[in-house]
Amino acid sequence: MNAASGKAIVTGLPHSGKTSKLIERFLHSLKERPGERRVVIVPDASHRDYLRTVIMQRGALRALRESEVLTLAEFLRGIADEAGLLDGRRMTSLEELLAFRRIIHGLNSAKEADIPLTLSAARQVKHMVEALRNAGLFLKLLPGNEMPRLPARGAIALKAAVRHLWAMKASQRYDGLLAQELAVLALQEGRCRELLPGLILVDGYYDLHPLHETALAAIAPNARSFFMTAPDLPGSAQAMAFASALRRFGLEEILLEKPANSAVKLLGAVAEVKAAETFTGVAAVVAVQAEGIELRPLPTYIKEAQFIAERVLALHRKEGVPLDEFLVILRKTDARFVAALRHHFREAGLPLIDLTDSSESARAARFLSSCFTFAANPGHESLQRLVHTSCPALLRPSHALFTFLRRMGLFLDAEGMKTFARDNEAEVFAALLDRLVSIKGTDKGNTEWMRNLLAALGREFITALEPHLGDAVRNPIELAREQAALESIMEATASLVGEEMDGDELPALLAEICLYAGGSSRELGAGGVYLVDALAARQWQKHVCFVPQADRDHWPQGREDLSSDEDALRTSPELAGVRLRSPEEHFAFEESLFLSAVTRSTKLTVVTYAKREVEGNDIAPSPFLSLLAPAVGKLGGTTPPAHESSFVSRRALMRHCAGALRYGESAEITKEAAAGVLAMTGNSERASLFARGGLEAEPVGQPFAVPEALTPSSFSPSALTAYRKCPYLYFALNLVKPGDPPESLQEGITPLAVGSAAHEALQEAFAGFPDKADISGIFRKRLAAYAAKCAPLDFPLELERHWAVWEYPLRRAYESAFERLIAGRAIVLKMEEDLRADFADTEGRTCALHGWIDRADKMPDSSLAVTDYKTSDMSGFSSKASEGGQARFGVATAPHIYTMLAAAIAGNDVEKAEFSYHLLRENLKVTLEPAEDTIHQEDGVQAIVESLARSITGIRMGHFPRAPHSSCVDCDECEAYWLCRRDLFGEPLPNEVEERFPEPPFKLAKEKLE
Ligand code: SF4
């Protein structure tokens, strides 16, 4: 890269090597003229960090001076510093916000516009002022020696900008932008030339706001050597405007050779589409692909996330693309999408490095913020928020509290809440309310007093929170995070000391500062798939890039800077000569950002968009897709093959295997291989693989020989019950294991986790029998452990709710069972154990019966009582029990098998073993008793044994007709219907099992345990 003048604008298409040329130049200077001062200037910190790494790698450098790669803002601030252009101290970002808050307070027009005195309003005004300053306002105001006059009319942003300039001059404090503005003015006037490095390289710009354009225009002629890259994006109005701005620098232009890659072809096609007279900006968006690019509409954002995770996995595994060569580019951080992406990446075992700013405040920050919001504005909303953030540290809500909150709703007030809290043993929370309510009677403007209160509340909260901060591994990390948040809140509020503050405003301001300063730090990592925002992505280049959420909500992003004040500003005479970005220019900017995003990859770009919201509403595609889709069509676009996700292809394999086993081996797969595949696949995986679809086009009436490898040698009650319900159902459930797919993200604590925690708690409690245990405490501990394993979501209230719902029934159930054991002088023989016993089928072949019992007790007379705990809602179960109904038990084998197993391990007769369900919620004992009007119990037992043996023989013989048991399974509601497709086959088979099974010679009896 040579230029006769030593200065040039280097232009080229994406991937033409513009940045590489600059790096070569930099390394050449480093090697040949080590004493030379040099700098690479880039637009933002992410590009700076990226470029530092690349330069060090390319030059095999061990270190690189920080001052040699800088953002333009850092570079200009450095010049202002060195030249002594600034007096006083730079403000912190909170001080800046407080300064704008004061400005809003003093502006009549802001009062008329009802702008609130909050930090978020201050932040918005600050952005508006920055937009004006970036457009060159202060370059116009600063050269005069006099203080600029406040405009007589004009928009709030303009008045706020002038006030801000006054305030900075008067207080000898400055912000980051003022340092840049002063440096630009000095450079414009030809001062500070000697401070410029000999070699200045500028990279990564796609656009320039006027302040930085003026800065570079002043630097370029004064530097000894100056090279700046400029992208060529055919079809982008923004890129054309940028190129013509750079031309005004009057530098030589070096046009890099056009690379022959897919990104260039795509941009060419985009330019053609735009130039075509037929282009209206509206086009139907369909799935289409061409070399290096794919466009995929998907049903919802969840499917987009799943699709990306699966494609990354497939490309990584099959084509060896390294994980750090994937990039996911977002325009606007959408917390729901990022959560879905994290979920699916975790499911696929893929690391995801999130470089978007999605930090969330620490819990202490949220709690403190809600305290001061309540103090400033005691009302039902702020009180409810306080209740939520206080859980579980300072408030462990009972079921009664939830009922109270729900009932009180809009009428909730502090006094009522305090009384209720005291009545319900929530003294800590009542005392907190007392303290917050008492703020009213104090001098609310006393900053020092209020800071002390804030610190005390924060410390108390963290101490109380500590036991609830997850497991032993997470606890110290979380605790450190909470403490760091409190420290930064205290540091931030230090700047309030000495501030003149209206007493009523301080609590509200503190509430905002807590959230502002109490954010969590971002986690950085290496060796994973990167998630970056589109602005930062302009400098990245990776093998494969995904651009998800290409819908109208995300591309283009709405303007945030001047939007509310724009019209008034446009007509303001004070802004003559200041260039403001028009809505059209903003759209062009967004479009260039999108075109940049879709040309970041060197191998493949995949653009996805969701067609509808999860709730069902349609989502319009981004207008930029109307440009991209026809451009991909011009490149010979074809319809991409249906997404062969690993999920789908694995399911196809499994289905093939199930078919081979059922109907004999095919040319593709032998029975042994099919049996091997099925045997290797875990139950849960089979469940999700077979959630949809089934064995289609199945020939009727072919025998199914179950291969030896898959023939069970032991049988559980649930398997045999399924066989008795319908033999085909057994086939479906036990060979294919259908289940629900992960349709949506599972959040929070599942009923399964609650059930498991209750079982484990009872097991632990009875382990020490006859010593009595604290069942509530054990259950809390067990459930908290399950909650900690869930997605890292914040659901203390949910946890509290489960505790509140279960604590009493569980204690009642435990205590009544305990008392009965003591009264009956029984001992606990077995708990949560898989019992086994030999059994013979009708052919005399031996197998095993097995069943997982919850508890078996031995009585002094050696008889046994086997108990099965039930945590699910069993209202139907108990009402059937009261009617003595048999529908459900007509096929149930658990009571029989459990009593047989218990008798076998104790060496007893079956008659000396009793089985019962313990319905924990209702504290009901449900037992099978001999029915008076049926055959004798002994015959009944024999009949059951025989029918079990016949069932096992049926399974071993591969006898699986579609034969539903009429009274206990309805085909239309059958969970295996999708696989069975019984309506295709018209097999009017009677349930032979039903015929062979006698009417159960038992009836159900229920007993309340108190
Ligand atoms: S749909 Fe009917 S026949 Fe088919 S498995 Fe289910 S119960 Fe049996």
Side-chain angles (χ1 to χ4, degrees):
M1 184 176 68
N2 285 315
S5 61
K7 298 177 188 180
I9 303 293
V10 184
T11 310
L13 288 153
H15 313 300
S16 56
K18 299 182 290 296
T19 304
S20 295
K21 295 283 180 204
L22 289 202
I23 293 173
E24 274 170 28
R25 187 92 194 182
F26 181 93
L27 292 173
H28 181 262
S29 151
L30 200 65
K31 194 171 162 206
E32 300 300 324
R33 289 188 293 281
E36 180 179 48
R37 285 177 60 221
R38 65 194 78 78
V39 67
V40 185
I41 294 174
V42 293
D44 54 52
S46 106
H47 189 194
R48 179 197 61 201
D49 300 344
Y50 172 71
L51 207 59
R52 271 187 188 150
T53 315
V54 176
I55 291 175
M56 287 175 68
Q57 280 171 351
R58 295 255 182 100
L61 306 177
R62 289 170 134 193
L64 185 66
R65 265 193 231 148
E66 285 212 347
S67 60
E68 293 192 324
V69 186
L70 295 172
T71 66
L72 182 53
E74 288 169 341
F75 179 74
L76 291 171
R77 283 202 292 265
I79 288 189
D81 250 355
E82 260 189 89
L85 300 175
L86 292 156
D87 289 331
R89 176 171 75 75
R90 184 167 169 192
M91 288 184 273
T92 63
S93 53
L94 181 64
E95 282 175 323
E96 279 185 51
L97 288 184
L98 291 171
F100 275 100
R101 193 176 163 279
R102 274 193 299 274
I103 289 170
I104 298 172
H105 190 50
L107 274 180
N108 284 335
S109 46
K111 279 184 199 142
E112 282 161 22
D114 244 356
I115 297 183
L117 279 178
T118 60
L119 286 188
S120 50
R123 190 179 290 125
Q124 218 175 338
V125 173
K126 177 174 174 269
H127 283 159
M128 286 155 64
V129 170
E130 276 174 0
L132 291 181
R133 292 171 70 185
N134 281 327
L137 177 68
F138 278 17
L139 297 185
K140 194 177 150 193
L141 297 182
L142 280 169
N145 287 329
E146 290 176 15
M147 284 278 207
R149 295 225 324 266
L150 201 62
R153 59 186 217 89
I156 294 164
L158 183 55
K159 286 181 191 284
V162 175
R163 281 270 176 109
H164 186 49
L165 184 54
W166 288 357
M168 284 195 286
K169 281 194 169 182
S171 66
Q172 293 212 322
R173 289 185 189 183
Y174 61 90
D175 62 14
L177 213 43
L178 186 66
Q180 295 179 52
E181 287 155 338
L182 290 172
V184 172
L185 284 173
L187 287 167
Q188 258 187 328
E189 290 164 8
R191 293 181 280 139
C192 309
R193 274 186 204 166
E194 67 289 352
L195 299 179
L196 294 177
L199 174 64
I200 298 179
L201 306 165
V202 185
D203 185 46
Y205 278 93
Y206 276 63
D207 74 327
L208 279 167
H209 50 67
L211 175 67
H212 282 174
E213 187 184 323
T214 314
L216 291 174
I219 291 170
N222 289 317
R224 189 182 54 74
S225 186
F226 179 95
F227 289 90
M228 177 170 181
T229 58
D232 184 9
L233 283 178
S236 164
Q238 165 69 33
M240 276 190 267
F242 182 59
S244 62
L246 294 191
R247 255 173 232 128
R248 288 198 287 272
F249 290 9
L251 304 182
E252 194 178 327
E253 265 186 66
I254 298 176
L255 185 61
L256 295 184
E257 217 169 280
K258 195 172 169 179
N261 61 29
S262 52
V264 171
K265 287 181 198 155
L266 179 66
L267 287 172
V270 166
E272 276 181 44
V273 171
K274 272 196 130 180
E277 283 179 9
T278 49
F279 179 64
T280 58
V282 180
V285 179
V286 291
V288 61
Q289 69 169 12
E291 186 197 339
I293 180 131
E294 250 181 71
L295 183 53
R296 292 250 180 198
L298 290 159
T300 61
Y301 78 89
I302 293 178
K303 294 293 176 196
E304 282 186 275
Q306 185 180 351
F307 171 83
I308 291 173
E310 285 177 353
R311 280 303 286 274
V312 168
L313 194 64
L315 288 165
H316 176 57
R317 284 199 182 149
K318 290 185 193 157
E319 296 177 26
V321 180
L323 284 177
D324 59 2
E325 279 299 334
F326 291 96
L327 192 61
V328 182
I329 303 172
L330 295 181
R331 176 64 186 112
K332 187 165 106 181
T333 306
D334 181 333
R336 290 197 315 170
F337 176 74
V338 174
L341 204 62
R342 283 208 188 110
H343 169 84
H344 287 293
F345 269 64
R346 201 169 41 238
E347 288 274 297
L350 294 166
L352 182 70
I353 300 167
D354 182 1
L355 298 182
T356 61
D357 189 11
S358 56
S359 55
E360 196 196 338
S361 300
R363 289 189 207 191
R366 295 202 297 271
F367 165 72
L368 289 170
S369 171
S370 68
C371 283
F372 286 93
T373 305
F374 174 74
N377 247 320
H380 70 273
E381 272 182 24
S382 57
L383 184 52
Q384 281 201 338
R385 199 176 142 215
L386 183 63
V387 168
H388 279 259
T389 57
S390 300
C391 295
L394 301 179
L395 179 63
R396 289 170 54 185
S398 60
H399 196 251
L401 173 66
F402 278 96
T403 315
F404 177 74
L405 286 176
R406 203 171 48 241
R407 280 214 198 110
M408 291 303 288
L410 290 172
F411 307 105
L412 199 63
D413 68 10
E415 278 312 306
M417 186 72 212
K418 253 191 303 185
T419 313
F420 181 83
R422 292 217 155 93
D423 290 349
N424 286 276
E425 298 172 6
E427 183 53 47
V428 177
F429 187 71
L432 172 69
L433 284 178
D434 272 336
R435 284 161 88 183
L436 296 177
V437 170
S438 73
I439 291 180
K440 252 186 179 327
T442 61
D443 174 9
K444 282 200 233 173
N446 185 339
T447 320
E448 204 50 57
W449 183 87
M450 208 75 89
R451 280 190 78 230
N452 289 340
L453 175 64
L454 189 148
L457 286 173
R459 282 195 300 269
E460 286 165 28
F461 178 82
I462 292 174
T463 308
L465 182 69
E466 193 184 345
H468 305 273
L469 284 177
D471 56 27
V473 178
R474 275 173 55 192
N475 189 301
I477 301 167
E478 295 280 319
L479 190 62
R481 179 182 173 228
E482 298 296 330
Q483 279 162 346
L486 181 60
E487 272 168 34
S488 59
I489 289 170
M490 293 313 295
E491 205 176 298
T493 50
S495 57
L496 290 181
V497 178
E499 282 271 333
E500 279 192 25
M501 193 70 61
D502 180 337
D504 285 333
E505 297 167 24
L506 186 55
L509 187 60
L510 283 177
E512 280 197 281
I513 291 177
C514 289
L515 287 184
Y516 174 82
S520 62
S521 57
R522 283 190 300 164
E523 279 176 32
L524 294 176
V529 176
Y530 291 99
L531 180 67
V532 297
D533 68 50
L535 285 165
R538 290 184 299 185
Q539 282 76 46
W540 292 64
Q541 218 173 66
K542 294 285 178 190
H543 288 353
V544 180
C545 294
F546 293 90
V547 184
Q549 296 199 293
D551 54 60
R552 200 178 279 276
D553 287 348
H554 296 87
W555 291 93
Q557 196 179 352
R559 296 186 66 191
E560 282 173 0
D561 43 16
L562 291 171
S563 46
S564 62
D565 218 13
E566 210 157 13
D567 291 342
L569 282 170
R570 293 204 174 280
T571 55
S572 177
E574 281 83 0
L575 285 181
V578 175
R579 278 194 285 135
L580 295 178
R581 185 182 265 180
S582 69
E584 293 73 27
E585 284 172 325
H586 173 73
F587 188 84
F589 171 74
E590 290 287 312
E591 187 185 83
S592 77
L593 209 51
F594 183 76
L595 292 177
S596 160
V598 297
T599 50
R600 288 301 83 210
S601 73
T602 52
K603 289 192 170 137
L604 175 66
T605 300
V606 184
V607 182
T608 63
Y609 83 94
K611 292 189 281 189
R612 60 176 170 81
E613 291 168 352
V614 174
E615 296 79 17
N617 302 330
D618 285 345
I619 306 178
S622 159
F624 306 141
L625 288 188
S626 305
L627 191 61
L628 189 68
V632 176
K634 272 185 176 295
L635 295 174
T638 53
T639 308
H643 170 48
E644 272 293 306
S645 75
S646 50
F647 183 83
V648 170
S649 54
R650 275 182 304 149
R651 189 169 70 184
L653 173 66
M654 298 290 291
R655 209 152 75 178
H656 205 58
C657 291
L661 288 175
R662 187 154 165 73
Y663 305 114
E665 60 194 37
S666 64
E668 292 88 32
I669 192 157
T670 62
K671 275 188 184 178
E672 285 69 24
V677 171
L678 277 175
M680 275 190 319
T681 319
N683 285 356
S684 62
E685 192 179 2
R686 270 186 280 185
S688 61
L689 288 170
F690 272 87
R692 288 216 189 80
L695 294 173
E696 288 159 20
E698 179 182 9
V700 181
Q702 288 206 13
F704 172 40
V706 180
E708 202 59 36
L710 277 190
T711 306
S713 57
S714 64
F715 297 85
S716 67
S718 58
L720 291 175
T721 300
Y723 188 75
R724 292 175 67 163
K725 279 186 183 174
C726 170
Y728 193 92
L729 186 61
Y730 170 88
F731 165 74
L733 297 181
N734 288 279
L735 290 184
V736 182
K737 305 276 183 193
D740 293 328
E743 248 303 284
S744 61
L745 299 178
Q746 177 76 28
E747 291 181 354
I749 303 160
T750 60
L752 184 66
V754 176
S756 303
H759 272 75
E760 287 170 16
L762 285 164
Q763 183 186 5
E764 189 179 331
F766 277 116
F769 184 81
D771 294 338
K772 203 156 181 186
D774 170 18
I775 184 85
S776 307
I778 301 171
F779 175 67
R780 278 177 164 263
K781 193 177 65 186
R782 296 284 181 170
L783 190 61
Y786 277 102
K789 285 184 209 154
C790 297
L793 300 171
D794 194 10
F795 45 84
L797 281 184
E798 199 186 330
L799 195 55
E800 290 288 346
R801 181 171 64 79
H802 286 298
W803 280 333
V805 167
W806 272 100
E807 229 167 343
Y808 171 68
L810 203 56
R811 202 171 60 235
R812 184 181 59 176
Y814 168 68
E815 284 174 1
S816 58
F818 185 90
E819 298 305 331
R820 282 177 166 242
L821 286 175
I822 295 283
R825 289 180 292 118
I827 58 164
V828 177
L829 190 66
K830 299 274 179 195
M831 277 188 308
E832 301 287 341
E833 197 171 317
D834 191 16
L835 301 185
R836 286 176 169 264
D838 282 348
F839 193 76
D841 68 10
T842 54
E843 312 276 301
R845 288 178 299 185
T846 310
C847 62
L849 286 181
H850 72 101
W852 196 275
I853 56 129
D854 291 339
R855 205 181 79 232
D857 308 322
K858 191 168 183 181
M859 304 299 158
D861 65 354
S862 296
S863 64
L864 293 170
V866 181
T867 305
D868 195 42
Y869 304 130
K870 293 281 175 200
T871 51
S872 49
D873 181 3
M874 303 296 278
S875 46
F877 190 105
S878 48
S879 71
K880 280 193 176 120
S882 68
E883 293 157 12
Q886 303 291 334
R888 199 171 167 151
F889 285 89
V891 293
T893 54
H896 316 299
I897 293 179
Y898 283 130
T899 42
M900 287 161 69
L901 291 174
I905 55 154
N908 279 355
D909 289 340
V910 177
E911 288 75 15
K912 287 190 79 178
E914 178 203 70
F915 173 86
S916 63
Y917 290 107
H918 189 166
L919 314 191
L920 297 175
R921 214 181 260 258
E922 297 93 342
N923 205 22
L924 267 184
K925 179 182 175 187
V926 179
T927 332
L928 291 182
E929 286 184 354
E932 290 135 21
D933 56 348
T934 54
I935 50 178
H936 187 264
Q937 189 188 352
E938 243 175 65
D939 298 343
V941 170
Q942 190 51 39
I944 290 288
V945 170
E946 281 173 14
S947 65
L948 290 177
R950 279 199 298 273
S951 299
I952 290 172
T953 305
I955 292 171
R956 288 180 147 178
M957 300 292 289
H959 190 73
F960 301 122
R962 293 173 175 81
H965 192 296
S966 55
S967 62
C968 61
V969 56
D970 178 356
C971 287
D972 289 340
E973 291 176 11
C974 171
E975 56 194 313
Y977 176 83
W978 48 266
L979 179 64
C980 168
R981 311 290 300 272
R982 55 128 184 87
D983 47 348
L984 291 178
F985 302 103
E987 297 165 358
L989 295 172
N991 187 301
E992 296 170 32
V993 183
E994 186 179 0
E995 278 175 10
R996 284 183 300 186
F997 272 46
E999 269 300 297
F1002 297 99
K1003 69 174 184 181
L1004 297 169
K1006 67 170 185 172
E1007 181 189 353
K1008 190 88 178 161
L1009 298 173
E1010 290 301 349

